Amino acid sequence: MAEVSYKTILDIQYDLKDGKTTVEALVNAYLQRIEENKHLNVYLEVFGEEAKAEALKLDKKIKNGEPVGRLFGLVIAIKDNICYKQHKVSAGSKILEGFTSVYSSTAVERLLVEDAIIIGRTNCDEFAMGSSNENSAYGPVLNAQDNSRVPGGSSGGSAVAVQANLCQASLGSDTGGSIRQPASFCGIVGLKPTYGRISRWGLIAYASSFDQIGPFTHSVEDAALITEVISGKDSYDATASSVAVDSYSTKLKFDRKAKIAVFPSTLNSEGLHADVKNAINTTLDELKADGHTVEEVSFDLLKYLIPTYYVLTTAEASSNLARFDGVHYGYRSPNATDMESVYKKSRTEGFGKEVKNRIMLGTFVLSSGYYDAYYSRAQKVRRILTEQVRGLFKQYDFIILPTSPTVPFKFGEKTDNPVEMYLADIYTVLANLVGIPGISLPLAKDDAGLPIGVQVLADNFKEADLFAFSKLLMEHKSVKQDTPTSTLS
Ligand code: GLN
């Protein structure tokens, strides 16, 4: 099997500059690995020929000493809900089968400007709705470590693409945990930035006031660099913030003592796997031993998180997904006979079960008789949560909690019970409800060697601190464990 495993983009760039490898060799190695790992069902499409052509161009530039972008040598995959001009995009849905993007997302544009090579689009839960990748119209993605287990969702393909070294990094989207939870299940780093940090232009909407694009990587260094490149204001997205983007990748030294809040309610919650609890406690103990302050803070709103998230996101989804009507885009039912049946049959046949569940739930919570009881109330809870959590950051630098209550579960384990599946998101939805950034770090393993992610949350636009602190945590870990080596053969 082709071997290619670099911890950081910087390592790749050193090797490229030293002539130890070429971008062409890298792309070929990834393409070979993708071929050898087809059973994982990671890529819905591989842009092989294009990637090779781009690699040759880049190698020439490097050889001639011409200027190259900040991401030269980065081979990256994108989730199948991120638009890339003249490439197909389906959001893991049959309803968009055969649809080609007419423009690129801002995130993709910014990657390309810096010479990243996009190698393909990755499988995901349909319209990013799911926690296990079992809702994709194109079949589930398998966790590369144990093929009987889920990779997490909804960005399962993007997570396994990095886990199995089928690219150096990938982009996913996170509405309620879809980057952090699969990162946790695949033993890699996953970041959901502050809401508005990265433009949503060209991201197929699920719940617009929650959605954010973010990276999956092997290292905090790569997450910082990619985030830095794709962040920033954008005239195409009014919710993209104009707060200046820090040079995250050059500010990775955390040289003070942190004040950390933990919510005992999250650690005593029902359904929390003992090994996950131990992992968090070990991390907290190590931090205390290093002189950081860890304090317990009461947080009694835990039980409201999942209901609030599902009321608001399904409401937004029911509106966002109204545009898939058999007329504007993608699939149109061949069985339709008149206008109404075009809508009804195209949507009935084109959407999968979970998406239909959520559209109906969202339509219900927005309907006139129930609006105040559900939607308005959930908005109020969101406001209270935001005030409480943002208020905490006046006293604390970070909140630490698990990413997921469990290690990756088995296929089929939760598919019969949507509520149980939704509970898998209990620790991740908070960041999206409040808008704050969150990162999942692969800091532990259970007895069977399955990965456990530790989640760190910071205040709005404090990505620089979050990265620096994360690097510190990862360094702690690598003292105890072997780090991946940089090899290409
Ligand atoms: N698992 C959550 C859901 O199903 C989160 C999805 C996401 O972040 N896109 O909604």
Side-chain angles (χ1 to χ4, degrees), residues 116-179:
I117 293 182
I118 299 177
I119 197 160
R121 61 183 167 100
T122 55
N123 200 349
C124 60
D125 281 305
E126 186 175 2
F127 286 101
M129 297 175 184
S131 308
S132 65
N133 232 115
E134 290 167 292
N135 298 335
S136 167
Y138 303 98
V141 175
L142 312 186
N143 193 311
Q145 190 176 328
D146 175 347
N147 292 176
S148 68
R149 291 178 190 272
V150 304
S154 64
S155 318
S158 288
V160 178
V162 174
Q163 177 194 30
N165 284 314
L166 311 180
C167 55
Q168 172 68 13
S170 62
L171 292 187
S173 66
D174 191 313
T175 303
S178 279
I179 293 175

Side-chain angles (χ1 to χ4, degrees), residues 46-77:
V46 179
F47 310 140
E49 291 312 310
E50 258 181 84
K52 282 193 220 169
E54 286 307 314
L56 288 178
K57 277 196 233 162
L58 203 51
D59 280 331
K60 215 180 241 169
K61 278 207 231 172
I62 298 168
K63 209 171 147 204
N64 296 339
E66 289 170 39
V68 282
R70 280 187 289 170
L71 297 181
F72 82 96
L74 168 63
V75 177
I76 192 164

Side-chain angles (χ1 to χ4, degrees), residues 261-293:
V262 280
F263 301 147
S265 53
T266 59
L267 292 176
N268 299 322
S269 98
E270 206 189 316
L272 178 64
H273 196 302
D275 289 334
V276 179
K277 187 172 172 170
N278 286 340
I280 302 290
N281 283 331
T282 306
T283 304
L284 296 174
D285 287 345
E286 286 173 1
L287 285 167
K288 279 189 235 168
D290 267 5
H292 302 278
T293 309

Side-chain angles (χ1 to χ4, degrees), residues 144-359:
Q145 190 176 328
D146 175 347
N147 292 176
S148 68
R149 291 178 190 272
V150 304
S154 64
S155 318
S158 288
V160 178
V162 174
Q163 177 194 30
N165 284 314
L166 311 180
C167 55
Q168 172 68 13
S170 62
L171 292 187
S173 66
D174 191 313
T175 303
S178 279
I179 293 175
R180 289 159 289 151
Q181 185 252 21
S184 170
F185 280 13
C186 294
I188 57 174
V189 175
L191 170 84
K192 181 206 89 81
T194 308
Y195 183 77
R197 182 64 303 180
I198 295 173
S199 168
R200 289 179 298 110
W201 173 253
L203 170 67
I204 296 178
Y206 158 16
S208 312
S209 75
F210 292 73
D211 301 339
Q212 268 296 284
I213 291 175
F216 285 99
T217 58
H218 290 293
S219 62
V220 172
E221 289 89 325
D222 283 7
L225 181 59
I226 293 169
T227 306
E228 177 181 320
V229 166
I230 63 179
S231 289
K233 67 177 182 198
D234 180 14
S235 54
Y236 289 115
D237 174 7
T239 65
S241 170
S242 52
V243 170
V245 180
D246 244 326
S247 166
Y248 307 133
S249 61
T250 60
K251 294 190 173 166
L252 288 172
K253 208 167 155 42
F254 194 82
D255 48 15
R256 56 195 167 89
K257 297 297 171 197
K259 262 196 107 181
I260 298 147
V262 280
F263 301 147
S265 53
T266 59
L267 292 176
N268 299 322
S269 98
E270 206 189 316
L272 178 64
H273 196 302
D275 289 334
V276 179
K277 187 172 172 170
N278 286 340
I280 302 290
N281 283 331
T282 306
T283 304
L284 296 174
D285 287 345
E286 286 173 1
L287 285 167
K288 279 189 235 168
D290 267 5
H292 302 278
T293 309
V294 177
E295 279 176 16
E296 294 196 341
V297 175
S298 94
F299 178 70
D300 45 18
L301 298 172
L302 193 68
K303 62 177 183 289
Y304 297 107
L305 298 180
I306 294 288
T308 309
Y309 170 80
Y310 278 94
V311 167
L312 294 175
T313 54
T314 55
E316 293 189 23
S318 74
S319 162
N320 275 327
L321 271 57
R323 61 172 69 97
F324 303 102
D325 57 4
V327 178
H328 292 88
Y329 313 87
Y331 180 77
R332 176 178 301 174
S333 171
N335 310 314
T337 49
D338 56 10
M339 196 175 79
E340 195 172 320
S341 68
V342 168
Y343 294 152
K344 276 194 181 157
K345 288 191 192 293
S346 302
R347 285 168 70 79
T348 305
E349 294 161 20
F351 286 133
K353 186 165 168 272
E354 180 62 22
V355 173
K356 282 189 271 198
N357 275 349
R358 295 197 191 194
I359 292 173

